[in-house]
């Protein structure tokens, strides 16, 4: 089982990377360790992505990352919030991926920001983006504001840890009911109808 984590954090250390790592570990734990996790730091690919947008062709390093993402059994995508939406680097990366390459791929979306007021970025930006890419987005999206780190929830919301566990459980459930994707060498993927049939018992 291949799980790829795409994180668009710009600083080091990065709260975006920290959230990505916690989501990946929680998902891997739910899968009883039966997952190979790869983390992609888009910060390291910024120049490659810009060159691809200008020339229309990915360099060798970016091409390898795109193949890893599109051949993954599941995806965790985490972005910092800028001006109420995903970062330009995050969007640019998914712009250079073919819009059918993630069809049927289970995706957990998450974002970080300085204030809880930007949490709707998950619903008005991230979820529509992956719906357009025909991925299967898990019901629980995770937003982490600065005040969420190390804090619990309140009477109306779960704490960050609870949200991470719930989202990871949903992604693990989709992955457990989904046959591993074939490699690009044979050009086959699991049919979308079969994926949906596998998901029905999980509802």
């Amino acid at each position: 089982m291949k799980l790829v984590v795409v994180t668009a954090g710009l600083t080091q250390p990065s709260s975006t990377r920290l959230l990505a790592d916690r989501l990946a570990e929680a998902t891997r734990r739910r899968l009883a360790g039966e997952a190979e996790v790869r983390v992609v730091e888009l910060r390291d690919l910024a120049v490659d992505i810009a060159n691809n947008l200008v020339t229309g062709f990915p360099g060798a390093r970016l091409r390898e990352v795109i193949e890893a993402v599109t051949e993954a059994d599941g995806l965790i995508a985490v972005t910092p919030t800028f001006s109420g939406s995903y970062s330009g680097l995050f969007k640019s990366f998914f712009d250079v991926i073919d819009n059918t390459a993630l069809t049927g791929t289970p995706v957990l979306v998450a974002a970080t920001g300085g204030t809880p007021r930007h949490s709707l970025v998950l619903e008005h930006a991230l979820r529509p983006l992956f719906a357009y890419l025909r991925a299967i987005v898990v019901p629980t999206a995770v937003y982490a504001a600065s005040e969420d780190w190390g804090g619990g929830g309140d009477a109306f919301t779960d704490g960050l840890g609870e949200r991470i566990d719930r989202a990871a459980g949903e992604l693990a459930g989709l992955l457990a009911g989904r046959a591993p994707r074939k490699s690009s060498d044979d050009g086959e993927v699991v049919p979308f109808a079969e994926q949906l049939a596998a998901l029905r018992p999980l509802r």
Side-chain angles (χ1 to χ4, degrees):
M1 191 74 69
K2 295 180 181 179
L3 177 64
V4 175
V5 183
V6 176
T7 171
L10 299 179
T11 60
Q12 197 171 18
S14 162
S15 61
T16 304
R17 173 61 189 269
L18 178 59
L19 179 58
D21 287 343
R22 288 187 61 178
L23 288 165
E25 178 54 33
T27 304
R28 188 173 181 274
R29 188 169 60 248
R30 290 296 191 103
L31 292 168
E34 298 296 323
E36 173 188 327
V37 179
R38 174 175 178 178
V39 178
V40 174
E41 288 269 14
L42 295 185
R43 177 184 64 241
D44 300 332
L45 296 165
V47 173
D48 304 76
I49 294 169
N51 286 337
N52 189 172
L53 290 171
V54 172
T55 66
F57 299 97
R61 184 169 66 157
L62 179 59
R63 185 185 308 113
E64 189 274 330
V65 169
I66 291 173
E67 289 175 356
V69 169
T70 56
E71 293 173 8
D73 297 299
L75 183 65
I76 295 174
V78 191
T79 178
T81 304
F82 290 135
S83 302
S85 189
Y86 34 58
S87 73
L89 179 60
F90 183 87
K91 180 61 163 57
S92 295
F93 175 71
F94 287 100
D95 281 345
V96 301
I97 293 178
D98 185 89
N99 63 2
T100 63
L102 294 179
T103 298
T105 301
V107 178
L108 191 168
V109 296
T112 57
T115 168
R117 291 194 297 273
H118 292 308
S119 61
L120 284 177
V121 64
L122 297 167
E123 304 304 325
H124 74 65
L126 283 168
R127 198 176 293 278
L129 170 64
F130 286 99
Y132 172 76
L133 295 173
R134 308 177 194 180
I136 302 173
V137 185
V138 302
T140 300
V142 180
Y143 180 84
S146 299
E147 64 195 55
D148 286 322
W149 299 101
D154 54 34
F156 303 100
T157 61
D158 292 330
L160 178 60
E162 287 80 8
R163 299 198 301 275
I164 288 173
D165 286 341
R166 185 168 67 249
E170 292 168 357
L171 180 59
L174 290 177
L175 291 173
R178 185 175 191 270
R181 297 185 76 168
K182 303 290 186 181
S183 69
S184 58
D185 295 336
D186 56 23
E188 296 180 0
V189 295
V190 179
F192 190 45
E194 291 184 13
Q195 297 167 24
L196 292 180
L199 299 182
R200 290 191 185 105
L202 300 172
R203 291 178 179 174

